[in-house]
Amino acid sequence: MSASGGPAVLAEALTKKFGDFTAVDHLDLRIERGQVIGFLGPNGAGKSTTIRMLCGLLLPTSGRASVAGFDVGREPEAVREHIGYMSQKFSLYGDLTVRENLRFFGGIYRVRREDFAERMRFAISMAGLEGRQNALVHTLAGGWKQRLALGCAILHRPPVLFLDEPTSGVEPEARRQFWDLIHDLAAEHVTILVSTHYMDEAEYCNQVALIDRGTLIAMGTPSELRGHRLSGQLYELRCSPLGGALKALRGVTGVVEAAIFGDRLHVVLAENAPAGADIRRLLSEHGIQADLPRRIMPSLEDVFVQLVSRGAEHRVTA
Amino acid sequence: MNLRRLLAMALKEALQIWRDPRSLAVALLMPLMQMAILGYGVSLDIKHVPLCVYDQENSQTSRAVVDRFISSGWFSVSHVITRYSGIRRAMDRGACIATIVIPVNFSRTLSATGSAPIQAIFDATDVNTTNIALGYAQGVVAQANADIVAQWDAAHGVQSSADSGVQLDPTVWFNETLDSRYFIIPGVVAVILALVGAQLTSLTISREWERGTMEQLISTPISALEVMLGKLIPYFLIGLVDATFCLSVAIFWFDVPFRGEIATLFVTTALFNLVVLGIGYLISVRIRSQLGASQIALLVTMLPTTLLSGYTFPIDQMPAPIRALTYIVYPRYYVTILRGIFLKGSGLSDLWGPMIGLSLYAAGIIWLAARAFQKRL
Ligand SMILES: Nc1ncnc2c1ncn2[C@@H]1O[C@H](COP(=O)(O)OP(=O)(O)OP(=O)(O)O)[C@@H](O)[C@H]1O
Ligand SMILES: [Mg+2]
């Protein structure tokens, strides 16, 4: 029974093994209703596997999870009635038209007939496909396809929505439009779990969950993560060549973390780190041209880079 | 089970078939081509079948019989021999397909008793040609009989019994259990329906996996049973259309006599359809690539329908273990049923044996198919 209180998604020690390989490892997750939660993590982190277990598409190896109050392992059909899902790979029927796809999913979800025309109109206008209702879906460009897939996933007004990298491979303008749609839905108290590779998109989320190698390594609001997670101050360093600088800096006392960000380095320095001028001198001894380090505000990406590499060290030493 | 979902599924599947040239070709063109290839393979009109004549009597009456063979246009005499061993030699060389042997006392027996046998020997290496030649020979002899019997009756002032006149006594060499083409064409229909039905449904689930649409589909609340039945509805209808087409061609084009009832034909064909669609679907669930699935489907329909259904190789001539095997092969039942309906005019009550076989088969396959599909990745 769908309890009206309770979290939208609850996972306890959720684990998935493929043979010897553990794709998701004792993941705990609690998502309150009406939240937009971002799933971030590198390739192969286990984002899709987690989402698939939450949708009842994969059976967990151990642990349990409930979605909209229904147990994923024991009541998968009830879960499916209450969710919308967009898989990572586009998966509407390319050989059917926009309207035929909507009609199919409307039928499958048993959308009440008196509501259907209005829902279909809404989905078509949301996807920006007015006038193209009879176009075959494989002829549509990426952004339209993704918005149509979202339209199909919400025809039955599910309280929980799982979107697996809905904006990958979509142009920036279309990505922004897509996020507007997500926020419109959130305003109607839909709980939305979105996985993404794009760090900037994390800023649009109420909560961000960072997943790496199957474990949840951090979760919080974007500003919480930015504020508390770095163990030191973040500096930006213009220098050349970058690779040499990275090698020279790593292992220096007080340098917590150094990483390449575009055409410069981001360096996290602890209290006991050398002063800016000393760093510059140290680099020039290695034949590296460098400006003085400049203190900057950390972005989420900085936080994630540090958390992920810290996790990696843990694993190496453990 | 929900009708709305079932229909949504059926409509979607029908649209996909309609837009997929490959499926359309299999559904509509394949039966046409197969019917032409297999059907004509067994019933092509053959003229001037090379005939070997061994006329032991060489009387006016016996020569008249030989002339009838020649003037029919179906036979031309390639050899006239004078010794029995000559038949074997001529046939081994392939110089003739049929031999007629007219015994020494032919005309005497005929005039004394009103009935006399002639022997006809056929080389049945090529079953199809032999079938036709045998049919021709029977036609020629029947025609001769009508005339002879009429004359004899007039001369003796009596009404003859049915076995008067020239008795054609056919002996078939090299393939003693020759089936007539009427026997083979119903088998052809079964082969085609099995082939087409299983080919089409073997793609239906594997296509969803291959195109990635399955992941979306199984995230919805549709049940496995609704997926199966919804998907099979359009193929079932296509199967009935194909069956109507093939059976009409058999009746109206190849002139296979139809002595039974359409309703019986319809019911049994629908049942057979269920079996082949279920088999294709089962394969489709198990094998996630379209190519793999369609090849397996070809294998499991082609082999049993052509080899073990009794369509070309008569079941009662098979070694016992293989004959036992034919019972677990579904086309056997349908071929038997079709022959019964076509040639003997059997109704459902006469066909309860194979009907039970086919029904059990249909139930078993559908049960397996319904359980096979799991809504998991
Ligand atoms: N069916 C499977 N069998 C074996 N290994 C699998 C299977 N599915 C996923 N994996 C492995 O599990 C790991 C996690 O995969 P998953 O797809 O969940 O990652 P992800 O975070 O979604 O990555 P991406 O950002 O590339 O989509 C990967 O190493 C992947 O190779
Ligand atoms: Mg993924």
Side-chain angles (χ1 to χ4, degrees), chain B residues 266-288:
Chain B
F266 184 83
V267 170
T268 51
T269 301
L271 203 56
F272 182 64
N273 235 327
L274 273 186
V275 175
V276 293
L277 298 184
I279 287 175
Y281 182 83
L282 197 58
I283 293 170
S284 197
V285 170
R286 294 283 167 187
I287 296 173
R288 291 190 178 184

Side-chain angles (χ1 to χ4, degrees), chain A residues 110-157:
Chain A
R110 294 186 295 173
V111 175
R112 293 224 318 268
R113 284 180 201 279
E114 52 269 37
D115 300 341
F116 187 64
E118 186 263 320
R119 298 271 179 88
M120 182 135 112
R121 216 173 308 123
F122 171 76
I124 287 173
S125 80
M126 185 189 84
L129 286 166
E130 291 101 337
R132 302 195 61 189
Q133 291 95 319
N134 296 321
L136 291 180
V137 163
H138 74 83
T139 63
L140 301 178
W144 278 280
K145 275 188 186 163
Q146 294 304 83
R147 288 194 296 267
L148 179 61
L150 180 63
C152 287
I154 60 168
L155 273 176
H156 56 305
R157 306 229 164 149

Side-chain angles (χ1 to χ4, degrees), chain A residues 48 88 164-165:
Chain A
S48 298
Q88 183 165 353
D164 196 356
E165 297 199 24

Side-chain angles (χ1 to χ4, degrees), chain B residues 20-316:
Chain B
D20 176 27
R22 196 188 122 105
S23 292
L24 269 190
V26 172
L28 303 177
L29 289 181
M30 201 151 114
L32 189 76
M33 282 168 43
Q34 299 270 351
M35 205 63 201
I37 295 169
L38 298 175
Y40 268 112
V42 298
S43 62
L44 200 63
D45 271 350
I46 299 171
K47 292 225 148 75
H48 305 295
V49 174
L51 179 74
C52 184
V53 177
Y54 180 18
D55 186 354
Q56 297 174 341
E57 188 183 61
N58 205 2
S59 68
Q60 195 194 349
T61 323
S62 71
R63 278 197 303 273
V65 171
V66 174
D67 282 344
R68 280 182 180 274
F69 272 85
I70 297 167
S71 60
S72 72
W74 290 328
F75 296 93
S76 48
V77 175
S78 65
H79 271 65
V80 178
I81 51 174
T82 51
R83 225 174 292 135
Y84 215 81
S85 59
I87 302 172
R88 184 64 198 240
R89 226 176 301 127
M91 280 198 177
D92 280 348
R93 272 191 290 125
C96 66
I97 285 174
T99 302
I100 48 172
V101 183
I102 303 180
V104 199
N105 48 5
F106 175 71
S107 53
R108 247 185 302 130
T109 318
L110 188 63
S111 61
T113 66
S115 164
I118 65 172
Q119 190 186 16
I121 300 167
F122 293 90
D123 171 0
T125 316
D126 175 357
V127 183
N128 302 326
T129 311
T130 308
N131 268 312
I132 296 157
L134 178 56
Y136 292 162
Q138 277 160 342
V140 170
V141 171
Q143 189 61 50
N145 271 347
D147 298 347
I148 291 168
V149 170
Q151 281 168 17
W152 201 83
D153 285 0
H156 295 76
V158 296
Q159 188 73 52
S160 303
S161 61
D163 54 358
S164 313
V166 181
Q167 300 301 309
L168 185 73
D169 176 15
T171 307
V172 177
W173 283 4
F174 311 121
N175 178 356
E176 292 79 2
T177 53
L178 197 59
D179 280 327
S180 86
R181 77 160 142 149
Y182 299 152
F183 248 56
I184 291 182
I185 292 219
V188 169
V189 173
V191 172
I192 294 174
L193 291 183
L195 221 60
V196 171
Q199 275 298 300
L200 286 174
T201 44
S202 74
L203 302 178
T204 177
I205 294 286
S206 47
R207 178 165 47 217
E208 305 245 11
W209 284 117
E210 223 167 66
R211 295 189 185 167
T213 51
M214 186 54 92
E215 185 157 349
Q216 194 70 46
L217 185 62
I218 61 179
S219 78
T220 72
I222 193 168
S223 75
L225 197 63
E226 286 159 350
V227 170
M228 180 180 84
L229 295 181
K231 276 176 173 285
L232 291 190
I233 288 171
Y235 296 106
F236 186 74
L237 297 179
I238 289 175
L240 290 187
V241 170
D242 283 344
T244 308
F245 169 75
C246 291
L247 292 167
S248 308
V249 171
I251 296 168
F252 297 113
W253 187 258
F254 291 120
D255 291 329
V256 178
F258 183 75
R259 305 200 173 100
E261 285 185 18
I262 296 286
T264 319
L265 192 61
F266 184 83
V267 170
T268 51
T269 301
L271 203 56
F272 182 64
N273 235 327
L274 273 186
V275 175
V276 293
L277 298 184
I279 287 175
Y281 182 83
L282 197 58
I283 293 170
S284 197
V285 170
R286 294 283 167 187
I287 296 173
R288 291 190 178 184
S289 94
Q290 291 190 73
L291 187 65
S294 90
Q295 281 174 347
I296 299 283
L298 191 65
L299 204 70
V300 304
T301 48
M302 219 26 190
L303 285 185
T305 47
T306 52
L307 299 181
L308 296 177
S309 68
Y311 141 62
T312 43
F313 304 107
I315 289 173
D316 46 16

